[in-house]
Amino acid sequence: MNSPARVTSPHATRSLADPDTPFAVVDVHKARRNIERLAARADRLGVALRPHVKTAKSLDVAGLAHDAPCPVTVSTLAEAEAFADGGYLDITYAVGIDPHKLTRVLALLRRGVTLRILLDSIEQAAFVAEASRRAGLPVPTQIEIDCDGHRGGLKPDAPALPEIGRILHDAGCLDGVLTHAGESYFAYTAEERRLAAKNERDTAVAAAERLRAAGLPVTTVSVGSTPTAHAAEDLDGVTELRAGNYVFFDLVMAGIGICQIEDLALSVVVTVIGHRREHGWIVTDGGWMAMSRDRGTAVQPQDQGYGLVTDLDGNLIPGLLMTAASQEHGTLTARDGAHLPDLPIGTRLRILPNHACATAAQHRGYHVVDGTPTTNTAPAIQTFWERVTGW
């Protein structure tokens, strides 16, 4: 689809009490603060920062992260195409490639987009090399390295690594290596996160050095996850740092100590539509279609249900959380020992999500407020940001 420009609300002075619920809200003050925090860290570590735009899927949000257009990471070719339409010409597609997607990859390359793809097998390397030769157009390719057993990728000592590198190099396609410390999302102490970041860096650099020892050039050594990006102390040998969730943050990130609840920039506004007092329930019009089914905090020391509840100004309501969800209904209950507040039908609330990426994907766009703590007035809707891609 085409990438829309920023859409200004025709009612720019409206408050969060006006639009129909449920809807997603981004606090631009918090998002900017989160962005500046990681950008400063990347500068200190001497690496380029390549934001992962899968979280917000928005040209406007990506524009906050850097002077646009900047190098970005995507999770779908739809995202790659939409960001290319928006002028982004340096894109890494960080999901393993399969043959039928190469037509779209080549189309973007012919448009002048540097689109890097990812793979981890001899089979993939062979069909990418063959497609590149047929097209007369090398496809920049990174080899995925497994640093923690989380998903895909090769271990740095895998016998197939040099062979994959050779197949790609001979076709003019070898760009480098990429790894993602997915297990860092379960690192609950600062030391665990530091070690995860060190392992992520060491694994990627070891893979790059092994390829170089085989006479193969490695231009890019790419690492990153939001937890390790905030914990890394030494990225010597790394060329770029990737992260995406850090722009919004969420309850999972707060639960492992990467941020504070006050840093969460994304929330969903819902309305109280009923009560089941015999069960201690407050019912809202925001179910899993508004929040997603993600229950990422269930494995953490503090389970936050489907999300924590604030008032429209963003102040936490003590002990109240969203504990159940059907498609369009959310159930709020009081945590053990907490008082269930009296919230009449029509009361509007904001729900802080477990997983910002999953919640954002449920919405067509974001109403934008500026929560800069310089005024006592309730947050006013300033603009409406439309997402640039679907699924």
Side-chain angles (χ1 to χ4, degrees), residues 9-76:
S9 169
H11 305 288
T13 59
R14 293 187 304 169
S15 76
L16 297 181
D18 294 315
D20 288 340
T21 54
F23 60 88
V25 176
V26 170
D27 185 323
V28 71
H29 167 68
K30 293 182 178 181
R32 285 196 179 103
R33 188 176 63 197
N34 297 339
I35 288 163
E36 289 165 1
R37 173 185 168 190
L38 188 57
R41 185 175 191 88
D43 285 344
R44 289 196 305 272
L45 293 169
V47 294
L49 181 59
R50 181 183 290 270
H52 203 317
V53 296
K54 70 170 184 176
T55 299
K57 296 183 175 67
S58 165
L59 291 171
D60 290 288
V61 176
L64 291 177
H66 278 284
D67 292 332
C70 61
V72 295
T73 312
V74 300
S75 284
T76 69

Side-chain angles (χ1 to χ4, degrees), residues 101-114:
K101 294 177 181 175
L102 287 175
T103 299
R104 293 168 73 183
V105 170
L106 289 165
L108 284 166
L109 291 170
R110 291 189 180 103
R111 289 174 52 181
V113 178
T114 299

